[in-house]
């Protein structure tokens, strides 16, 4: 159903037109690296309903930073520029040099795949129209996805069947329809596939075999996909739903056990004081211990007043609850943070926050920073308003009658 394109050789950063100054030095004295931003944590998954292999370790320790809050009537002093060695920046320079070429090749591959899929969709539509009027015509040949993906250097995968809830477990579910500009995306993949019909929005569902381009800006992945089959919603019989009901019950019970196991590890780690988290982890979980993870951010800002949930690519689908537990906990205190689908329950212990609280307060004194903070609540405010409208519709038994799709 979906074809994720391979990531380009860059790390997804936009290419800068600025000049980078690099210092070469022969002495053995280390040059202080610039303080990494935001968050460092050590974490281990306590239990996993399916497989603990979903999470993979990576990361590095980052030091905390000190800052002096500025007064209202005195502008804050700008920090002196940091000097980095060539060894520290050569990887980023290589990425920036290779990035434009890699993105150009990726775009060409996606366009070719989309063109091939679109051609089949058009031929199939004409064929079905001819059949309806009694015309004898030859059916178009469906493209060989695996061969096309191999030719274009892309990965291909068939997923499903899924409903609007279960699709969230797939990697492609975090992608959005490609817009005209980076970070200006359309509806999510799930919305495009299943459509939306309410008093506020009407987005028709994706037609069978109509190609769709989506992108996940957090992971830097691009996708070309189409829907190969669909079944209208219906009320299954008890016999048909039996396996799903059993799985749902077992999953709920497994989550309880996973959380209890994680809480036991967190309690043991907190009682151990300053001892490493590894000493509190059971021997059968040692392979899933991530002692140096980060830095990462709770929210990422893009555009004016817009932000998206941060990500820890080494872990399995972290979400809002994970970030809230990590960033609201105290340094050195272990807590339990499940991932978004609650497949894995992590024991997390923050080791450093950057920038410091004093630095954040100093930044908040700047008018522009306060304006950005005020705008961050617009999305939540909009959701509250939409929820109010829906409650009124429900209380009045109002139903939105959308036009039937052809």
């Amino acid at each position: 159903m979906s074809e994720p394109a391979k990531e380009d050789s860059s790390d997804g950063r936009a290419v800068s037109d600025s000049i980078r100054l690099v210092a070469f030095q022969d002495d053995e004295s280390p040059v202080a690296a610039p303080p990494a931003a935001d968050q460092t944590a050590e974490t281990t998954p306590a239990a996993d309903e399916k497989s603990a292999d979903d999470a993979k370790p990576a990361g590095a320790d980052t030091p905390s930073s000190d800052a002096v809050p500025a007064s209202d009537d005195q502008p804050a002093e700008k920090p002196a520029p940091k000097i980095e060695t060539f060894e520290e920046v050569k990887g980023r320079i290589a990425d920036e040099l290779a990035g434009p070429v890699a993105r150009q090749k990726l775009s060409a591959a996606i366009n070719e795949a989309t063109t091939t899929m679109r051609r089949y969709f058009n031929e199939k539509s004409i064929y079905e129209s001819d059949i309806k009027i009694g015309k004898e015509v030859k059916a178009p040949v469906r493209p060989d996805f695996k061969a096309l993906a191999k030719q274009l250097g892309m990965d291909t995968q068939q997923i499903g069947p899924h409903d609007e809830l279960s699709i969230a477990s797939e990697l492609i579910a975090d992608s959005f329809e490609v817009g005209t500009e980076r970070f200006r995306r359309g509806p999510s993949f799930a919305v495009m596939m299943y459509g939306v019909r309410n008093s506020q929005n009407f987005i028709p569902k994706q037609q069978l075999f109509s190609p769709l381009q989506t992108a996940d800006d957090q992971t830097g992945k691009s996708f070309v996909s189409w829907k190969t089959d669909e079944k209208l919603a219906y009320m299954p019989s008890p016999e048909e739903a039996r396996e799903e009901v059993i799985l749902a019950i077992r999953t709920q019970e497994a989550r309880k056990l996973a959380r209890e196991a994680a809480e036991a590890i967190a309690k043991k780690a907190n009682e151990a004081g300053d001892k490493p988290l590894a000493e509190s982890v059971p021997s059968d979980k040692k392979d899933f211990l991530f002692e140096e993870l980060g830095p990462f951010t709770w929210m990422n800002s893009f555009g004016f007043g817009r932000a998206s949930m941060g990500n820890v690519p080494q872990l399995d689908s972290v979400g809002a609850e994970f970030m809230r537990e990590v960033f609201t906990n105290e340094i050195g205190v272990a807590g339990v943070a499940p991932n978004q689908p609650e497949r894995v329950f992590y024991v997390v212990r923050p080791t450093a926050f950057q920038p410091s609280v004093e630095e954040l307060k100093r930044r908040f004194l700047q008018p522009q920073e306060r304006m950005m903070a005020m705008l961050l609540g617009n999305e939540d405010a909009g959701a509250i308003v939409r929820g109010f409208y829906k409650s009124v519709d429900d209380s009045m038994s109002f139903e939105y009658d959308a036009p039937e799709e052809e």
Side-chain angles (χ1 to χ4, degrees):
M1 178 177 175
S2 67
E3 296 198 31
K6 289 185 178 178
E7 291 186 82
D8 58 47
S9 60
S10 70
D11 60 0
R13 288 191 282 273
V15 178
S16 173
D17 294 329
S18 61
I19 299 175
R20 184 184 300 278
L21 301 179
V22 181
F24 292 88
Q25 58 183 28
D26 297 327
D27 58 87
E28 298 180 355
S29 60
V31 177
D38 305 313
Q39 169 65 25
T40 303
E42 55 181 357
T43 174
T44 178
D48 189 342
E49 298 160 27
K50 296 181 180 178
S51 171
D53 293 335
D54 291 338
K56 299 178 182 178
D61 279 332
T62 56
S64 59
S65 62
D66 296 323
V68 179
S71 60
D72 291 329
D73 56 350
Q74 292 182 352
E77 294 184 2
K78 294 184 178 180
K82 301 288 185 179
I83 299 178
E84 299 174 285
T85 65
F86 177 74
E87 291 298 322
E88 291 173 327
V89 300
K90 67 178 183 180
R92 297 201 297 270
I93 293 176
D95 288 342
E96 291 175 359
L97 292 175
V101 177
R103 284 191 288 272
Q104 184 178 11
K105 291 183 177 180
L106 175 62
S107 178
I110 291 176
N111 290 337
E112 184 171 348
T114 303
T115 300
T116 302
M117 297 164 69
R118 176 64 64 183
R119 185 183 302 114
Y120 173 74
F121 173 77
N122 293 337
E123 292 174 351
K124 185 174 181 295
S125 299
I126 296 173
Y127 166 76
E128 292 174 347
S129 177
D130 290 340
I131 292 297
K132 286 182 179 180
I133 62 176
K135 197 173 181 180
E136 293 186 4
V137 291
K138 186 178 180 180
V141 179
R142 182 170 165 178
D144 185 341
F145 250 48
K146 291 186 177 180
L148 179 63
K150 184 177 181 180
Q151 173 189 345
L152 299 176
M154 302 169 71
D155 296 328
T156 180
Q157 181 183 6
Q158 181 176 348
I159 62 175
H162 282 296
D163 56 30
E164 294 181 64
L165 296 178
S166 64
I167 192 66
S169 63
E170 298 290 349
L171 179 65
I172 195 174
D174 295 325
S175 63
F176 291 80
E177 183 188 24
V178 176
T180 57
E181 297 180 24
R182 183 172 172 82
F183 295 130
R184 295 189 66 178
R185 305 303 190 191
S188 68
F189 172 80
V191 168
M192 294 297 297
M193 282 295 166
Y194 296 99
V196 172
R197 292 168 176 264
N198 55 41
S199 59
Q200 303 295 318
N201 298 291
F202 172 60
I203 300 177
K205 63 183 178 181
Q206 194 78 358
Q207 299 182 57
L208 292 179
F209 296 102
S210 176
L212 173 65
Q213 289 188 27
T214 56
D216 183 355
D217 294 319
Q218 298 299 315
T219 61
K221 291 184 180 295
S222 298
F223 301 87
V224 183
S225 61
W226 63 10
K227 187 191 300 182
T228 59
D229 193 13
E230 66 179 350
K231 182 185 295 185
L232 295 178
Y234 72 101
M235 183 66 71
S237 65
E239 291 76 17
E240 291 178 307
R242 183 176 184 276
E243 294 299 325
E244 292 187 24
V245 172
I246 292 175
L247 177 60
I249 294 175
R250 289 179 175 176
T251 299
Q252 289 179 349
E253 295 301 316
R255 285 171 177 161
K256 294 178 183 178
L257 297 175
R259 183 178 289 276
E260 290 175 0
E263 290 174 348
I265 295 176
K267 180 180 179 181
K268 183 178 179 181
N270 290 329
E271 292 174 349
D274 296 334
K275 292 183 179 180
L277 181 61
E279 297 186 11
S280 302
V281 178
S283 58
D284 61 337
K285 298 295 181 183
K286 294 288 188 182
D287 293 338
F288 309 111
L289 174 65
F290 315 138
E291 293 183 281
E292 298 179 351
L293 186 64
F296 55 91
T297 61
W298 187 342
M299 301 289 290
N300 294 320
S301 176
F302 64 93
F304 190 72
R306 304 183 65 186
S308 63
M309 184 63 60
N311 186 37
V312 187
Q314 299 83 8
L315 302 184
D316 176 21
S317 306
V318 299
E321 189 172 352
F322 177 92
M323 293 297 183
R324 185 179 299 107
E325 177 64 29
V326 171
F327 282 86
T328 58
N329 211 350
E330 297 181 5
I331 293 178
V333 177
V336 176
N339 69 347
Q340 183 71 19
E342 295 189 343
R343 286 194 297 257
V344 184
F345 285 77
Y346 294 102
V347 175
V348 295
R349 183 166 66 179
T351 58
F353 291 103
Q354 294 184 353
S356 64
V357 175
E358 289 76 14
E359 170 64 12
L360 292 175
K361 290 179 179 179
R362 185 192 67 78
R363 293 182 184 180
F364 192 71
L365 294 175
Q366 308 303 317
Q368 183 177 357
E369 297 292 338
R370 290 200 299 272
M371 177 64 70
M372 292 290 288
M374 292 171 59
L375 294 175
L376 285 178
N378 285 354
E379 185 175 350
D380 292 336
I384 293 173
V385 172
R386 291 191 296 271
F388 170 74
Y389 286 144
K390 185 178 184 305
S391 67
V392 174
D393 292 344
D394 293 342
S395 64
M396 302 297 293
S397 300
F398 174 80
E399 293 183 1
Y400 178 69
D401 186 13
E404 293 292 333
E405 296 181 27
E406 296 182 359

